[in-house]
Amino acid sequence: ENGKIDYNTLREQPVAPATDSESMPLDATERRLAAIWSDILGCEAVGRQDDFFDLGGHSLLAMRLFSMIEQEFGKTLPLATIFTNPNIAALAQTLRPRTISDSNPCVVTLQKGRGLAPLFCMHCGTGNVFHYRELANRLGDDRPVLGLVPAGLDGRSAIHKSVVDMAARYADWITAAYPEGPYMLCGYSFGGTVAYEVSRQLRAAGREVVFAGLFDTGVYGTLTLADSLPDYRQRLRELGPAQKIAQIARSVYGNLRTFLRDTWRGLQRRSQLLPARVLVSMGRPIPVRLQPVYLRDLFSRAMRNYVPEPYDGKVCLYRQQSGIWERRNQPDMGWGPFVGPDNLQLLDLEGKH
């Protein structure tokens, strides 16, 4: 009646079968999960082997899912768990008592593949690797694709606060997962910065890196707000008096609205950052709903403090076609001085950041 789920009632009742008796949840843990999945995905019946993504799941729904699991089971699981445990049967195993995983939970298999060297994908600024799932699908079944997500959100290990320290840890994970090499790495946005540093450290250690891909990643501080002013002034010169006044009015209104929106969002973020920081200082797990805000703040500071060192390998820089970098005569997005023109390949892609 009040829009909430009565889990105490649902867990005592079997969920309606999706197709046959074998798809029904087997125990109370699976029934409780099925009730949560049904609510989040809008499905009347969810089978224990039904794939989360096939049912329409995505990163935002996964965040809701794990937040509700946290409330219902009292356990904080990494968001990336959904990749290796995409159905109720597998996810229930991670929630049952005395479940032990021998694998590194921070190295997530996005696609198993066979035969080819794996592609290692660095998490973005919110700590997730969901956006690489489509990339993995397009690379074909033979290419293994693994995502790296940050450690320390469970309160049992340290959270690295610098790109260099992060990269050193990720390099250890990568070489442990694939000792023989060669290595292929990529990263989107902040993840591109991490991929660059991991590649640099691997090569410095004598490892062979055959691919370092940066997706719309610029060197922090290369582009400033002032860089957009010449474009704006040029547009004004091309307008008539009435159009110029209208354009300035729209700009003032738009900037004021953006300022108020960003101020409000900043206050919301700060209200969530404080409890997250307190939990980290106490060595406690960070709730799923607080993780994106905490990680975005942490990684933003890490990126501001990172100064790239020269890299003697090849780098593929994938840019959005309409990016401001090209208009400001910075097609290399700031990487040229560190990589060199002979080793930097620029590739344009359609779409936004």
Side-chain angles (χ1 to χ4, degrees):
E1 296 178 357
N2 58 5
K4 296 182 179 179
I5 299 176
D6 184 354
Y7 290 110
N8 292 322
T9 300
L10 283 171
R11 75 180 58 144
E12 302 299 330
Q13 301 174 352
V15 176
T19 53
D20 53 52
S21 59
E22 292 185 359
S23 68
M24 294 177 61
L26 296 182
D27 58 16
T29 298
E30 292 189 8
R31 286 196 293 271
R32 293 159 73 185
L33 279 175
I36 295 174
W37 280 45
S38 295
D39 175 51
I40 289 177
L41 296 170
C43 302
E44 291 186 6
V46 180
R48 62 190 304 271
Q49 297 293 344
D50 290 345
D51 188 280
F52 175 78
F53 297 102
D54 291 343
L55 294 174
H58 49 72
S59 59
L60 295 179
L61 290 179
M63 190 174 298
R64 282 188 58 200
L65 169 66
F66 280 78
S67 182
M68 294 176 75
I69 287 175
E70 189 174 62
Q71 296 173 24
E72 173 69 2
F73 293 90
K75 290 188 177 182
T76 302
L77 299 176
L79 276 177
T81 305
I82 196 64
F83 288 110
T84 50
N85 304 274
N87 56 53
I88 287 173
L91 193 56
Q93 275 298 111
T94 69
L95 295 169
R96 293 189 178 103
R98 295 181 296 278
T99 296
I100 299 175
S101 174
D102 295 327
S103 61
N104 184 346
C106 295
V107 180
V108 183
T109 300
L110 304 178
Q111 179 169 279
K112 290 184 177 180
R114 53 184 180 272
L116 299 180
L119 174 65
F120 292 91
C121 306
M122 308 298 120
H123 60 78
C124 67
T126 55
N128 72 64
V129 291
F130 281 87
H131 43 279
Y132 297 117
R133 189 167 177 268
E134 181 63 25
L135 172 64
N137 292 337
R138 291 177 178 271
L139 289 177
D141 295 337
D142 291 336
R143 177 74 64 188
V145 181
L146 296 95
L148 274 71
V149 297
L153 299 178
D154 56 3
R156 293 196 291 266
S157 58
I159 299 178
H160 291 296
K161 299 181 179 180
S162 77
V163 171
V164 173
D165 290 343
M166 243 179 280
R169 190 173 204 178
Y170 296 174
D172 288 341
W173 292 349
I174 289 169
T175 53
Y178 191 61
E180 61 270 28
Y183 298 98
M184 304 178 65
L185 301 94
C186 72
Y188 157 69
S189 194
F190 172 75
T193 302
V194 179
Y196 175 87
E197 179 60 25
V198 174
S199 300
R200 192 195 65 78
Q201 291 190 23
L202 286 174
R203 281 185 66 88
R207 302 279 187 170
E208 183 183 7
V209 178
V210 296
F211 176 75
L214 281 56
F215 297 110
D216 215 34
T217 300
V219 175
Y220 182 82
T222 305
L223 187 67
T224 65
L225 180 61
D227 291 317
S228 64
L229 292 179
D231 282 345
Y232 183 72
R233 292 195 186 103
Q234 180 60 36
R235 290 199 301 272
L236 287 180
R237 292 191 191 102
E238 297 170 355
L239 299 176
Q243 293 175 314
K244 190 176 296 185
I245 293 173
Q247 177 62 41
I248 293 174
R250 281 195 297 268
S251 297
V252 171
Y253 171 74
N255 289 335
L256 178 60
R257 185 176 60 180
T258 299
F259 171 76
L260 294 174
R261 181 196 65 198
D262 291 347
T263 300
W264 173 245
R265 288 179 179 176
L267 291 172
Q268 289 179 310
R269 283 195 295 269
R270 280 194 287 273
S271 69
Q272 294 177 320
L273 270 176
L274 180 59
R277 288 173 176 169
V278 170
L279 290 171
V280 170
S281 68
M282 297 171 61
R284 300 282 298 278
I286 304 175
V288 173
R289 64 183 178 83
L290 299 181
Q291 289 178 12
V293 172
Y294 176 79
L295 291 176
R296 188 181 290 113
D297 175 74
L298 178 70
F299 296 150
S300 293
R301 286 185 282 117
M303 188 163 61
R304 288 196 297 270
N305 295 328
Y306 175 64
V307 179
E309 293 188 19
Y311 177 64
D312 60 358
K314 292 189 177 298
V315 171
C316 293
L317 178 60
Y318 299 88
R319 311 169 304 174
Q320 56 167 318
Q321 284 183 338
S322 59
I324 192 173
W325 300 92
E326 189 67 52
R327 298 199 301 272
R328 291 275 43 84
N329 298 317
Q330 298 182 50
D332 61 15
M333 299 179 72
W335 292 108
F338 307 104
V339 180
D342 294 336
N343 284 337
L344 185 62
Q345 183 179 8
L346 306 178
L347 299 166
D348 288 336
L349 300 176
E350 294 182 0
K352 299 180 180 179
H353 182 75

